[in-house]
Amino acid sequence: TDGEGRKLDGARLLLEPKEDGVARRAVRTGRDGLFRAEGLRPGAWRVRLAARAGPFTDLEAWVEVVEGETTRV
């Protein structure tokens, strides 16, 4: 959501693995502001909002993906 609580429809997120040799992924949020990235390898991933301008540039979070589990950001 943005600073006013509105859902970010169509926001582009970059998923970058900590492990070398694993490809980055890009996904977009849906109308509900949520995103799904299936088939990620287990391990640490950086989720970064790819905003062009405004208050949401450079937002990122590190998450740990565990095989067989849903990871929430």
Side-chain angles (χ1 to χ4, degrees):
T1 60
D2 67 12
E4 296 178 7
R6 294 179 299 222
K7 295 175 179 158
L8 297 174
D9 179 15
R12 185 168 183 248
L13 298 164
L14 301 175
L15 308 172
E16 301 171 337
K18 185 174 183 178
E19 178 185 335
D20 288 335
V22 178
R24 292 187 295 177
R25 302 264 304 268
V27 296
R28 291 202 181 269
T29 59
R31 287 184 179 167
D32 57 5
L34 302 176
F35 72 94
R36 177 177 287 239
E38 296 179 354
L40 297 178
R41 282 187 169 180
W45 287 78
R46 180 170 64 167
V47 179
R48 189 163 50 100
L49 178 63
R52 293 185 183 148
F56 298 101
T57 56
D58 299 328
L59 286 181
E60 68 178 45
W62 282 95
V63 297
E64 188 69 27
V65 173
V66 178
E67 186 172 356
E69 293 184 14
T70 299
T71 302
R72 299 193 183 274
V73 179

